[in-house]
Amino acid sequence: MGRGSVRCCPNTFRRSGISSTCVMRKTKMEQSKKKKCLIRFEPSGLKVEVPAGTVLLEAARKAGVYLTSVCGGDGYCGKCKVIIDEGQFQSRPTTLLTQDELREDVVLACQTKVLSDVTVTVPKFHTLETSQILMDSDAHRFSELAGDVRAGLFEFDPLVRKINVEMSAPTVHDHTADHERLYLGIREQIDAPIMQTGFRILQNLPQVLQDSDYKVTVTIGRRGETTEVIEVEKGDHHAKNYAVAVDLGTTTVVAHLMDLTNATTIDTEATYNSQINFGEDYIRRIIYAEENNAFDEMQNRIVHDVNNLIVTLAARQKIDLQDITTVICAGNTAMAHFLLNLDPRRIRREPYIASASFVPPIRAAEAGIQINKRGLLYCLPGVAAYIGSDIVAGVLTTRIYTKKGISLFADIGTNGEVVLGNRDWLVCASSSAGPAFEGSGVKHGMRAGAGAIEKLTIHGDGSVEYKTIGETHPVGICGSGLLDTLAGLFTNGIIDRNGQFQANGQSGVTEGEEGMQFRLVPAENGHHEVVITQADIDNLVRSKAGVFAAIRVLMDSTQTKLEDIETIYLAGGFGNFLNVRQAVTIGMLPDLEAEKIQFVGNTSIAGAKTVLLSREALRTAEQIATSMTYFDLMSHTGYMEEFVRASFLPHTDLSLFPSVKSTQEHKSTRA
Amino acid sequence: MGRGSVRCCPNTFRRSGISSTCVMRKTKMEQSKKKKCLIRFEPSGLKVEVPAGTVLLEAARKAGVYLTSVCGGDGYCGKCKVIIDEGQFQSRPTTLLTQDELREDVVLACQTKVLSDVTVTVPKFHTLETSQILMDSDAHRFSELAGDVRAGLFEFDPLVRKINVEMSAPTVHDHTADHERLYLGIREQIDAPIMQTGFRILQNLPQVLQDSDYKVTVTIGRRGETTEVIEVEKGDHHAKNYAVAVDLGTTTVVAHLMDLTNATTIDTEATYNSQINFGEDYIRRIIYAEENNAFDEMQNRIVHDVNNLIVTLAARQKIDLQDITTVICAGNTAMAHFLLNLDPRRIRREPYIASASFVPPIRAAEAGIQINKRGLLYCLPGVAAYIGSDIVAGVLTTRIYTKKGISLFADIGTNGEVVLGNRDWLVCASSSAGPAFEGSGVKHGMRAGAGAIEKLTIHGDGSVEYKTIGETHPVGICGSGLLDTLAGLFTNGIIDRNGQFQANGQSGVTEGEEGMQFRLVPAENGHHEVVITQADIDNLVRSKAGVFAAIRVLMDSTQTKLEDIETIYLAGGFGNFLNVRQAVTIGMLPDLEAEKIQFVGNTSIAGAKTVLLSREALRTAEQIATSMTYFDLMSHTGYMEEFVRASFLPHTDLSLFPSVKSTQEHKSTRA
């Protein structure tokens, strides 16, 4: 990594297992137990002072440096890798680092205590820029999905508006009081049969009206059927009304800055969810919060992330935070609970319930979100503990609730949420098969960021072609690359229908440290190799089986046949180079023609934006959330059977995958 | 008064006018400029420490002792009389104290500075017990007027309710989130299409539901068409739901404690409005607040009064303040503005407008009212700066808005507000003729309290029969007594139609210090005499002329003839022994048969109670307030002419008062 620091501790010593600890000596040698240590993180330059003995993962949290951590600090996921450039530290031995990594002074942050001032390099795969790419691509590629309002599908009627109200001043012939005069002025312009005014606004109103000669800008927000006067300002400021739509992802938080006067997206920004340090999936974060009574901390994290995004967008666009009147969020149920500090504990406990699926609009400041101090925070409605508002947003965005024919919507992330239905009915379920397709639980799995293989072809001779995000040297594999890998290994017979490597000595299959593996990219020029292991494949198969089993349960429950499904919409973090056909090949999605399967990107934020811009869309989202029938797979007797049947490539029942069957037969014949 | 203090300063010295100040020496003689003085008020025993030189009226304010003061401290009303028992003070000379009073060490509190520790006796006419009597009588006499709800005229549907909600706990087959489960439970019992929940309530909800096994008491409040979940408590407490209805009078604040579960009045209490020290009428208080930037202080006063009443009622009835969920107020527009600290300044300035006539429900705590911390404060809607919610309450209570025939409603207090109308139309106006009938501006005028002459007959020989409140020796005359006096003087020819004492040497008419006067009660046994002076009569005639002129303007504007009026309802502080016939005799009210004139007491609090108990009544009150057409008499060209015409007894145009005319003619004939 060429930072020229002195590295003196032989890696073999750390790997030996002889002692349980290893004291690394860098530039300073003195013993340090109680003293304060300054920890500097590169390349961000963020610093934090912590007591000697502090675990590096904890120091990173305090510094606001985001480190990936699937296991939440238990030392078994091996994701929180950082490089020690300088300083003393103490690391517990682990089998999760390769010899190469040990040579490069890579450590697991959760297993390393600092003993002196330390400088740490955070590898790129932890950093923000990676998701930036995906988010930007999304914004361009799927901009039309946010255009429901602009396309006239919903009436343009933002949840919060600023209107210029010019009233005539009172006279001896017109004694109407200020408050009622204002209401009359508002009602001349908008439909607002039920209105509310906060007490402080009411108290200030007379002065504002007199100072302005009864020419004011009124900010009005909709709370259900009630219209609230949020602010009354002197003069005409109605052209400055901005909002931020947020997709509260478990991994990534994406924010779009909107101009509410003309329904345009001005700018976009994303960041990693800084709760990641407490666990990569939200179940683990709930456990962490319970065990450490860290619900407040969990809220602070996500609120901090949202605030950072808002401030970044506002600063870049030179917009006053006071002119941001609205924040709207979509996300899974757990994230919504964390954001609002609503008790999330029963999400992970039978009978698996949410504290609230419909969260009323609140003052954004009440949740700690720093926009206009009386601005509103809206959360899209969800359905259940495992079907959040992101899924409702997906249904809204794909418009499957308007169609005569049956559609399938699937969001493959940490969970695989699926919705089946049409304009008459909607059913949904969530499979908890794990986040393998997000790169978690996969040796070289990673998020769709710089250096991630996002497209990959395995040829018959075992040679591999690939494309990485950012066109850099490959660092790992993201979701779409993993899908291609699994499909490639299967279609080329490198793994069998059980997902097991064939013992026939195919090219590229080697015996690695953890058993059989397939080398996708060889080590070269100091870059490590990229492989896929048997354990990785098992994880990926479990994930895809979970999704398909969930789809089968919904199809069976509604007596929907394969040919009844007109379109499959695939949402989520698969990235831009998803080969939807491969999703059929491995048996994740039903066997439909490729042209009937659409990758629709981040429908969560698209739906949030649509609702932000139209009360009618919010009402529609509420109707969708209310009308969706939720199947709890954990208590569903048929689910486990379907899961077992789906734990083959593509499935135990090949008749469900006629196109795959014919390819396989074709190959068999050819062979 | 028998308190045995040393009184050494000759009164003549104070009255001489030789020096502008008079140093009284009591038990202590040392000079005192900067030192602190302890002021003790008897009989309450309330104390306050103030710097030497503090004006006694100000010291009384600080001590929470209520002293009447019409002029607000300018030294010309002569109402803030107190007796110095002990201590040094400095008093400016005044002509407003009699020789007897000077002998008894009576001073005007606003014209007296304290120079040492001082003990002061506050005469009874300042004290609370007086209004207690009237308020209690009212409560009994007019209880049926608060019974609109109990009588079934309005549906029983209190603005704030507690309901016992027992939900089934979530199961694997019923995943409904806590928040939605609660809404379903509420909606099983009440009609609440539009609901809101505060963020803190929502955050606490999961714990409360789990702790209670989903059996809770929900407090719900109505904010217009929106139903708010105010509180959710473990267990069943629905039987403990109390409210306080308040009549915010300029002089007296009356509170009724209500049980919202069964629509009964549990207890009543009243106090003087402690703003009285800042001026007896609200215009003067607005001026005081403006000049001294004392709007906060003005709010604190009235809020303190309301809180005192609430605490007194709750303590007496052993009710927890947390179980009082609602406060509802009716009162004139200025009082409502003071209570909420809404800018009242334009009430007294052309074009005379209110900051708000319709005040939305607010959290009572926001105004400083100490009930359940999330309890609601409702204010009945008003019409204009000079037609407050007390008048709307009067229309609601008398039900003139439901009648085919035309009714006249008049509330004679500091202002004389009049409403004319029927089920099709309502017009209203307010005459600012002054509070003479409340005893202000009348030498021996006083409030309807202990010792007040409330009924009086003057016989042909000039002898007088009277009845005092509390059957005590007469101290002064209250409104009904003043009405009787004016009518008696007129019908007996002691004053002429111009209201002037006749110069024919009638019995009882004497030359007093301030000109001609009539002695109602002679001085005896140490009690001072009670007289009515020419100036008093002039004030009373102006007051009645203002009221009648207002009525004439409304009648003319609506082409209502005398015979069209079916009933006159007379509300306000006239007390229990009002002879309504006398109000016709002097030309205050139109010449209707006595049986068509009803005294209806405190319709302000009666209306507040009705609204408290029925959302339907609130909607009706809002409709009344909206539909009433307000006539601004100050900009009305015909009003002054009517006022001049009405400034005779009974009127310049005797044909308007046929019954009075015939009596007069009969007497003339007899004479």
Side-chain angles (χ1 to χ4, degrees):
Chain A
M1 301 270 161
R3 269 171 309 283
S5 58
V6 180
R7 298 193 174 94
C8 62
C9 179
N11 294 300
T12 46
F13 181 67
R14 278 201 285 171
R15 297 278 297 190
S16 68
I18 294 165
S19 130
S20 70
T21 62
C22 158
V23 176
M24 292 281 284
R25 286 184 177 76
K26 298 241 161 168
T27 54
K28 292 179 187 169
M29 294 294 292
E30 71 263 82
Q31 288 301 312
S32 47
K33 269 282 168 193
K34 295 283 170 195
K35 69 170 184 183
K36 288 278 181 181
C37 303
L38 183 71
I39 315 300
R40 182 184 170 90
F41 294 91
E42 297 293 357
S44 66
L46 289 167
K47 293 177 215 167
V48 67
E49 202 174 62
V50 294
T54 300
V55 172
L56 201 47
L57 183 62
E58 178 59 27
R61 281 173 191 158
K62 287 193 175 156
V65 172
Y66 310 142
L67 297 184
T68 312
S69 169
V70 178
C71 67
D74 290 348
Y76 66 75
C77 77
K79 292 296 178 187
C80 61
K81 294 173 189 170
V82 294
I83 302 154
I84 306 285
D85 298 331
E86 201 172 313
Q88 294 179 323
F89 62 95
Q90 196 175 41
S91 243
R92 297 180 66 191
T94 173
T95 60
L96 294 170
L97 295 169
T98 64
Q99 296 294 335
D100 284 351
E101 287 170 335
L102 290 169
R103 267 191 294 279
E104 289 178 2
D105 294 334
V106 173
V107 298
L108 296 184
C110 73
Q111 300 298 305
T112 303
K113 291 179 179 177
V114 296
L115 302 176
S116 73
D117 292 352
V118 165
T119 302
V120 175
T121 290
V122 178
K124 271 193 180 173
F125 63 83
H126 292 289
T127 62
L128 184 63
E129 82 184 86
T130 53
S131 68
Q132 179 69 31
I133 294 166
L134 176 62
M135 185 268 317
D136 279 350
S137 318
D138 265 5
H140 289 114
R141 183 163 168 192
F142 304 109
S143 58
E144 76 277 9
L145 285 169
D148 291 352
V149 173
R150 302 188 76 191
L153 294 174
F154 290 107
E155 184 194 2
F156 177 59
D157 182 8
L159 297 183
V160 177
R161 298 177 66 163
K162 286 187 181 178
I163 57 175
N164 182 29
V165 179
E166 299 199 356
M167 295 155 275
S168 54
T171 68
V172 290
H173 305 295
D174 175 9
H175 294 89
T176 307
D178 285 342
H179 185 226
E180 290 74 74
R181 187 174 297 270
L182 182 72
Y183 276 20
L184 289 173
I186 292 169
R187 285 174 171 148
E188 273 178 17
Q189 297 189 44
I190 63 160
D191 178 42
I194 302 171
M195 292 189 66
Q196 280 186 354
T197 311
F199 186 42
R200 299 301 162 203
I201 296 298
L202 183 61
Q203 284 186 315
N204 294 332
L205 183 64
Q207 199 61 53
V208 175
L209 291 186
Q210 288 171 83
D211 288 351
S212 68
D213 195 28
Y214 288 79
K215 288 168 182 47
V216 294
T217 303
V218 183
T219 308
I220 55 160
R222 310 291 195 162
R223 295 178 181 254
E225 296 307 304
T226 307
T227 301
E228 186 200 351
V229 175
I230 293 177
E231 194 168 24
V232 183
E233 297 167 282
K234 180 180 173 180
D236 180 3
H237 311 286
H238 81 279
K240 289 186 176 176
N241 187 19
Y242 302 97
V244 176
V246 180
D247 168 35
L248 291 173
T250 306
T251 304
T252 319
V253 185
V254 180
H256 287 201
L257 177 66
M258 307 289 293
D259 184 336
L260 291 181
T261 64
N262 57 14
T264 53
T265 306
I266 299 172
D267 199 354
T268 61
E269 184 60 84
T271 184
Y272 281 151
N273 184 327
S274 62
Q275 294 174 333
I276 276 180
N277 289 356
F278 298 114
E280 194 142 327
D281 66 82
Y282 60 70
I283 294 295
R284 196 152 265 286
R285 292 180 204 170
I286 296 172
I287 294 170
Y288 178 89
E290 276 197 70
E291 289 178 350
N292 299 278
N293 192 21
F295 295 104
D296 289 351
E297 169 72 4
M298 213 55 97
Q299 182 189 31
N300 289 344
R301 287 288 164 131
I302 186 65
V303 168
H304 182 77
D305 291 341
V306 172
N307 280 335
N308 272 349
L309 290 171
I310 293 171
V311 167
T312 303
L313 289 166
R316 197 155 65 207
Q317 298 299 328
K318 297 183 175 52
I319 287 169
D320 190 335
L321 282 179
Q322 285 302 309
D323 291 329
I324 300 178
T325 58
T326 327
V327 169
I328 185 162
C329 292
N332 62 57
T333 303
M335 287 310 307
H337 279 53
F338 281 136
L339 180 77
L340 301 171
N341 208 348
L342 291 175
D343 182 6
R345 290 174 298 175
R346 289 166 304 159
I347 288 175
R348 72 177 193 92
R349 287 204 177 87
E350 205 178 78
Y352 314 106
I353 69 154
S355 290
S357 288
F358 282 62
V359 175
I362 64 168
R363 204 79 61 210
E366 286 189 280
I369 290 177
Q370 288 157 14
I371 56 169
N372 182 303
K373 67 177 190 289
R374 294 184 56 84
L376 296 183
L377 168 64
Y378 293 87
C379 293
L380 261 64
V383 176
Y386 295 113
I387 296 286
S389 60
D390 49 348
I391 305 307
V392 172
V395 172
L396 181 75
T397 303
T398 54
R399 300 185 69 76
I400 64 178
Y401 69 97
T402 64
K403 291 170 182 161
K404 192 177 175 188
I406 295 171
S407 303
L408 176 69
F409 173 86
D411 185 347
I412 319 291
T414 307
N415 290 321
E417 295 102 333
V418 290
V419 182
L420 188 72
N422 60 15
R423 67 187 181 192
D424 297 320
W425 53 268
L426 292 165
V427 293
C428 60
S430 175
S431 74
S432 56
F437 282 98
E438 292 189 315
S440 183
V442 174
K443 185 179 177 79
H444 289 129
M446 68 182 285
R447 295 172 199 141
I453 296 172
E454 65 173 349
K455 190 171 170 58
L456 181 141
T457 310
I458 299 173
H459 295 291
D461 60 356
S463 67
V464 176
E465 276 183 88
Y466 58 78
K467 183 186 172 304
T468 60
I469 297 177
E471 312 282 346
T472 67
H473 192 88
V475 178
I477 327 170
C478 70
S480 54
L482 288 169
L483 191 62
D484 288 349
T485 301
L486 191 61
L489 292 173
F490 172 54
T491 53
N492 287 288
I494 300 167
I495 55 174
D496 62 15
R497 285 187 58 207
N498 280 302
Q500 300 299 305
F501 281 112
Q502 299 290 63
N504 53 6
Q506 289 212 3
S507 173
V509 178
T510 60
E511 183 71 30
E513 289 177 358
E514 294 148 43
M516 299 278 273
Q517 62 182 28
F518 181 80
R519 191 183 60 236
L520 297 166
V521 181
E524 55 177 358
N525 301 329
H527 296 291
H528 66 72
E529 64 178 358
V530 177
V531 302
I532 188 136
T533 68
Q534 185 63 60
D536 295 344
I537 292 166
D538 294 347
N539 272 338
L540 291 168
V541 169
R542 267 197 297 278
S543 264
K544 80 93 191 170
V547 173
F548 190 76
I551 294 170
R552 287 295 303 174
V553 166
L554 295 187
M555 287 174 69
D556 284 354
S557 304
T558 56
Q559 295 175 310
T560 300
K561 291 190 273 307
L562 181 63
E563 57 269 28
D564 296 336
I565 300 174
E566 291 194 348
T567 311
I568 297 177
Y569 297 97
L570 193 57
F574 266 113
N576 303 331
F577 288 90
L578 178 83
N579 184 334
V580 289
R581 184 66 214 153
Q582 308 286 42
V584 173
T585 302
I586 65 166
M588 177 190 271
L589 298 181
D591 192 357
L592 252 64
E593 300 89 314
E595 61 270 24
K596 288 188 174 177
I597 306 178
Q598 293 182 26
F599 180 55
V600 288
N602 191 338
T603 49
S604 175
I605 199 151
K609 285 161 71 171
T610 302
V611 166
L612 173 69
L613 297 172
S614 173
R615 270 204 299 167
E616 186 192 350
L618 175 55
R619 284 191 209 104
T620 303
E622 288 170 348
Q623 285 160 7
I624 290 169
T626 304
S627 64
M628 275 165 86
T629 302
Y630 173 63
F631 283 80
D632 175 13
L633 298 182
M634 277 169 280
S635 65
H636 192 281
T637 47
Y639 177 67
M640 190 46 68
E641 193 180 323
E642 288 288 353
F643 179 77
V644 171
R645 282 153 52 84
S647 296
F648 287 79
L649 294 171
H651 197 271
T652 46
D653 182 1
L654 265 182
S655 72
L656 290 173
F657 289 84
S659 77
V660 182
K661 186 181 175 194
S662 74
T663 312
Q664 291 288 97
E665 283 168 353
H666 177 65
K667 264 199 287 196
S668 300
T669 309
R670 202 177 51 176
Chain B
M1 301 270 164
R3 267 172 309 282
S5 58
V6 180
R7 298 192 176 95
C8 61
C9 179
N11 294 300
T12 46
F13 182 65
R14 279 199 284 171
R15 297 276 297 190
S16 69
I18 295 166
S19 130
S20 70
T21 61
C22 160
V23 177
M24 291 281 285
R25 285 183 178 76
K26 298 241 162 167
T27 55
K28 293 178 187 169
M29 294 294 291
E30 71 263 81
Q31 287 303 312
S32 47
K33 268 284 167 191
K34 296 283 169 194
K35 70 171 183 181
K36 289 277 182 182
C37 304
L38 183 72
I39 315 301
R40 182 184 171 91
F41 294 90
E42 297 292 357
S44 65
L46 289 168
K47 293 177 215 167
V48 67
E49 202 174 61
V50 294
T54 299
V55 172
L56 200 47
L57 183 61
E58 178 58 28
R61 280 173 193 158
K62 287 194 175 154
V65 172
Y66 311 142
L67 297 183
T68 311
S69 168
V70 178
C71 67
D74 290 348
Y76 65 75
C77 78
K79 292 296 177 188
C80 61
K81 293 173 189 170
V82 294
I83 303 153
I84 306 285
D85 297 333
E86 200 171 315
Q88 293 179 323
F89 63 95
Q90 195 175 39
S91 244
R92 297 180 65 190
T94 172
T95 60
L96 294 169
L97 295 169
T98 64
Q99 296 293 337
D100 284 351
E101 287 170 334
L102 290 169
R103 267 191 295 277
E104 289 178 1
D105 293 334
V106 174
V107 299
L108 295 184
C110 73
Q111 300 298 303
T112 303
K113 291 178 179 175
V114 296
L115 302 176
S116 73
D117 293 353
V118 166
T119 302
V120 176
T121 290
V122 178
K124 270 193 181 173
F125 63 83
H126 293 287
T127 62
L128 183 64
E129 85 184 85
T130 53
S131 68
Q132 180 68 30
I133 295 164
L134 176 61
M135 185 270 316
D136 280 350
S137 321
D138 265 6
H140 289 114
R141 182 164 170 192
F142 304 109
S143 58
E144 75 278 9
L145 285 169
D148 291 350
V149 174
R150 302 189 75 188
L153 293 174
F154 290 107
E155 183 195 2
F156 177 59
D157 180 9
L159 298 183
V160 176
R161 298 177 67 164
K162 285 187 182 177
I163 55 174
N164 182 28
V165 180
E166 300 198 356
M167 296 154 274
S168 55
T171 67
V172 290
H173 305 295
D174 176 8
H175 295 90
T176 307
D178 285 343
H179 185 227
E180 289 75 72
R181 188 175 297 271
L182 181 72
Y183 276 21
L184 289 173
I186 292 169
R187 285 174 171 148
E188 273 178 17
Q189 296 190 44
I190 63 160
D191 179 42
I194 302 171
M195 293 189 65
Q196 279 186 356
T197 312
F199 186 42
R200 300 298 162 205
I201 296 300
L202 183 60
Q203 284 186 315
N204 294 332
L205 182 64
Q207 199 61 52
V208 175
L209 292 187
Q210 288 171 81
D211 288 351
S212 68
D213 195 27
Y214 287 79
K215 289 169 182 44
V216 295
T217 302
V218 183
T219 307
I220 55 161
R222 310 290 195 163
R223 293 177 182 255
E225 296 308 304
T226 307
T227 300
E228 187 200 349
V229 175
I230 293 178
E231 194 169 23
V232 183
E233 298 167 282
K234 179 181 173 179
D236 181 3
H237 312 285
H238 82 277
K240 289 186 175 176
N241 188 20
Y242 302 97
V244 176
V246 180
D247 168 35
L248 290 173
T250 306
T251 303
T252 320
V253 185
V254 180
H256 286 201
L257 177 66
M258 307 289 293
D259 184 336
L260 291 181
T261 65
N262 57 13
T264 53
T265 305
I266 299 172
D267 198 354
T268 61
E269 185 60 84
T271 183
Y272 280 152
N273 185 327
S274 62
Q275 294 174 334
I276 276 179
N277 289 356
F278 298 115
E280 195 142 328
D281 66 83
Y282 60 71
I283 293 296
R284 198 152 264 287
R285 292 180 204 170
I286 296 172
I287 295 169
Y288 178 88
E290 276 196 70
E291 289 177 350
N292 298 278
N293 192 22
F295 296 103
D296 289 351
E297 169 72 4
M298 212 56 96
Q299 182 189 30
N300 290 344
R301 287 289 163 129
I302 185 66
V303 167
H304 182 77
D305 292 342
V306 172
N307 279 335
N308 272 349
L309 290 172
I310 293 171
V311 168
T312 303
L313 289 167
R316 197 157 63 209
Q317 298 300 328
K318 297 183 175 52
I319 286 170
D320 189 336
L321 282 180
Q322 285 302 310
D323 291 330
I324 300 178
T325 57
T326 326
V327 168
I328 186 161
C329 293
N332 62 56
T333 304
M335 287 312 305
H337 279 53
F338 281 136
L339 180 76
L340 302 172
N341 208 349
L342 291 175
D343 181 6
R345 290 174 299 175
R346 290 166 304 159
I347 288 175
R348 72 177 193 91
R349 286 204 177 88
E350 205 179 77
Y352 315 107
I353 67 155
S355 289
S357 289
F358 283 62
V359 175
I362 63 169
R363 202 79 62 210
E366 285 188 281
I369 291 176
Q370 287 156 16
I371 56 169
N372 181 303
K373 68 176 188 290
R374 294 183 56 84
L376 296 182
L377 168 65
Y378 293 87
C379 292
L380 260 66
V383 175
Y386 295 114
I387 296 287
S389 60
D390 50 347
I391 304 308
V392 173
V395 173
L396 181 76
T397 303
T398 54
R399 299 185 69 75
I400 64 177
Y401 69 97
T402 64
K403 290 169 183 162
K404 192 177 174 189
I406 296 171
S407 304
L408 176 68
F409 172 86
D411 185 348
I412 318 290
T414 308
N415 290 321
E417 295 102 333
V418 291
V419 182
L420 188 70
N422 59 15
R423 65 186 182 192
D424 297 320
W425 54 267
L426 292 164
V427 292
C428 60
S430 175
S431 74
S432 56
F437 282 98
E438 292 191 315
S440 183
V442 174
K443 185 179 177 78
H444 288 128
M446 65 180 288
R447 295 172 200 142
I453 296 172
E454 64 174 350
K455 189 171 169 61
L456 180 143
T457 310
I458 299 173
H459 297 290
D461 60 357
S463 67
V464 176
E465 276 183 87
Y466 56 78
K467 181 186 172 306
T468 60
I469 297 178
E471 310 283 345
T472 67
H473 193 87
V475 177
I477 328 169
C478 69
S480 55
L482 288 169
L483 191 63
D484 286 350
T485 301
L486 192 61
L489 292 173
F490 173 55
T491 52
N492 287 289
I494 300 168
I495 54 174
D496 62 16
R497 284 189 56 210
N498 280 301
Q500 300 300 306
F501 281 112
Q502 299 289 65
N504 54 6
Q506 288 213 1
S507 173
V509 179
T510 60
E511 184 73 28
E513 289 176 358
E514 294 146 43
M516 299 277 275
Q517 61 183 27
F518 181 81
R519 192 184 58 236
L520 297 167
V521 181
E524 55 178 358
N525 301 329
H527 295 291
H528 66 73
E529 65 178 358
V530 177
V531 303
I532 189 139
T533 69
Q534 185 64 59
D536 295 342
I537 292 166
D538 294 347
N539 274 338
L540 292 168
V541 169
R542 266 198 297 279
S543 265
K544 80 93 189 169
V547 173
F548 190 76
I551 295 169
R552 287 296 301 173
V553 165
L554 295 186
M555 288 175 68
D556 283 354
S557 304
T558 56
Q559 294 175 310
T560 301
K561 291 192 272 308
L562 182 63
E563 56 269 29
D564 297 333
I565 300 174
E566 292 195 346
T567 312
I568 297 177
Y569 297 97
L570 194 55
F574 266 115
N576 304 331
F577 288 90
L578 178 83
N579 184 333
V580 289
R581 183 67 213 152
Q582 308 285 42
V584 173
T585 301
I586 65 165
M588 176 190 272
L589 297 181
D591 192 357
L592 252 63
E593 301 89 315
E595 60 272 23
K596 289 188 174 177
I597 306 178
Q598 293 182 25
F599 180 55
V600 288
N602 190 339
T603 49
S604 176
I605 200 151
K609 286 162 69 170
T610 302
V611 166
L612 172 69
L613 297 172
S614 174
R615 269 203 299 167
E616 185 191 351
L618 175 54
R619 284 191 209 104
T620 304
E622 288 169 347
Q623 284 159 8
I624 291 168
T626 304
S627 64
M628 274 165 88
T629 303
Y630 173 64
F631 283 80
D632 174 14
L633 298 181
M634 276 169 281
S635 65
H636 192 280
T637 49
Y639 176 68
M640 191 44 69
E641 195 182 322
E642 288 288 354
F643 178 78
V644 172
R645 283 154 50 85
S647 297
F648 286 79
L649 294 170
H651 196 271
T652 46
D653 182 1
L654 264 182
S655 72
L656 289 173
F657 289 84
S659 78
V660 183
K661 187 180 174 194
S662 74
T663 313
Q664 291 287 98
E665 282 169 354
H666 176 66
K667 265 201 288 197
S668 298
T669 310
R670 202 175 54 175

